């Protein structure tokens, strides 16, 4: 069952074209920053537990504990090592948040507040904006192990936020308007 995570901050989005990490297969993906203590945090944790209990029964808690102690931890602490750059500096906007990575091999539905489809040229889905995200949590049970994973289904731009990094936009007021065409 998919849930809607509301008011998450978008980070490292790769929503319009798939990208690969290391030797991994390309996916559409993003990192969601979920405020600690929020309703979204409670919803995500509750859904993870529900899916684990449904899939693993009495072994659910032990499997979640093992997953949370390893590299496959679903929700990472933005105040911990996952919230630091390779140089050890805090990542912008990560403190006070949980980090949840979501992905899908198939392009997710991308919409605005009015539920209209948007594309990359809209400029609405960028690192730092606020989004609502539809995510399906599912249980993996195979020779590679028992885990809870995420599947990114849809992203809705909800509001603008301070962009991460050094995003610069052109100021059209800096240009002069030509009153007539110039032949070269």
């Amino acid at each position: 069952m998919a849930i809607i995570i509301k008011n998450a901050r978008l980070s490292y989005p790769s929503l319009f074209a798939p990208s690969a990490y290391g030797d991994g297969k390309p996916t559409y993906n993003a990192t969601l920053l979920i405020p600690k203590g929020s309703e979204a945090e409670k919803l995500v944790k509750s859904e993870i537990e529900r899916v684990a209990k449904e899939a693993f029964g009495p072994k659910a808690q032990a499997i979640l504990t093992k997953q949370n102690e390893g590299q496959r931890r679903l929700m990472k602490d933005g105040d911990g090592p996952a919230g630091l750059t390779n140089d050890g500096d805090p990542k912008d906007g990560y403190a006070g948040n949980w980090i949840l990575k979501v992905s899908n091999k198939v392009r997710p539905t991308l919409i605005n507040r009015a539920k209209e489809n948007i594309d990359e040229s809209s400029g609405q889905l960028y690192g730092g904006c606020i989004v609502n995200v539809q995510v399906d949590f599912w249980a993996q049970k195979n020779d590679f192990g028992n885990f809870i994973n995420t599947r990114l289904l849809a992203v809705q731009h909800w509001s603008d936020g301070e962009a991460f990094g050094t995003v610069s936009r052109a100021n059209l007021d800096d240009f002069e308007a030509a009153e007539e065409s110039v032949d070269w």
Side-chain angles (χ1 to χ4, degrees), residues 98-115:
W98 290 103
I99 303 164
L100 177 67
K101 294 188 178 191
V102 294
S103 65
N104 198 336
K105 296 174 191 172
V106 177
R107 185 175 187 255
T109 300
L110 306 172
I111 58 175
N112 61 20
R113 275 184 88 119
K115 298 198 289 187

Side-chain angles (χ1 to χ4, degrees), residues 132-148:
N132 296 331
V133 183
Q134 187 176 43
V135 178
D136 180 30
F137 290 85
W138 59 279
Q140 171 182 320
K141 293 168 56 172
N142 58 28
D143 292 342
F144 296 103
N146 296 329
F147 302 103
I148 302 299

Side-chain angles (χ1 to χ4, degrees), residues 7-87:
N7 296 309
R9 194 162 182 209
L10 192 62
S11 184
Y12 299 108
S14 181
L15 301 171
F16 300 102
S19 65
Y21 181 75
D23 293 334
K25 294 181 180 179
T27 63
Y28 296 90
N29 59 78
T31 298
L32 305 178
L33 302 179
I34 301 170
K36 290 181 178 178
S38 67
E39 288 301 313
E41 174 194 346
K42 293 173 192 168
L43 176 65
V44 169
K45 287 182 175 181
S46 174
E47 184 64 4
I48 291 169
E49 287 182 22
R50 185 194 70 74
V51 171
K53 285 178 183 174
E54 187 177 287
F56 306 122
K59 296 180 182 179
Q61 195 54 51
I63 289 169
L64 286 177
T65 298
K66 182 179 177 182
Q67 181 171 356
N68 286 334
E69 291 172 351
Q71 291 295 319
R72 295 193 62 123
R73 181 182 184 110
L74 272 179
M75 293 184 73
K76 296 182 181 178
D77 189 348
D79 293 312
L84 301 176
T85 66
N86 290 338
D87 295 330

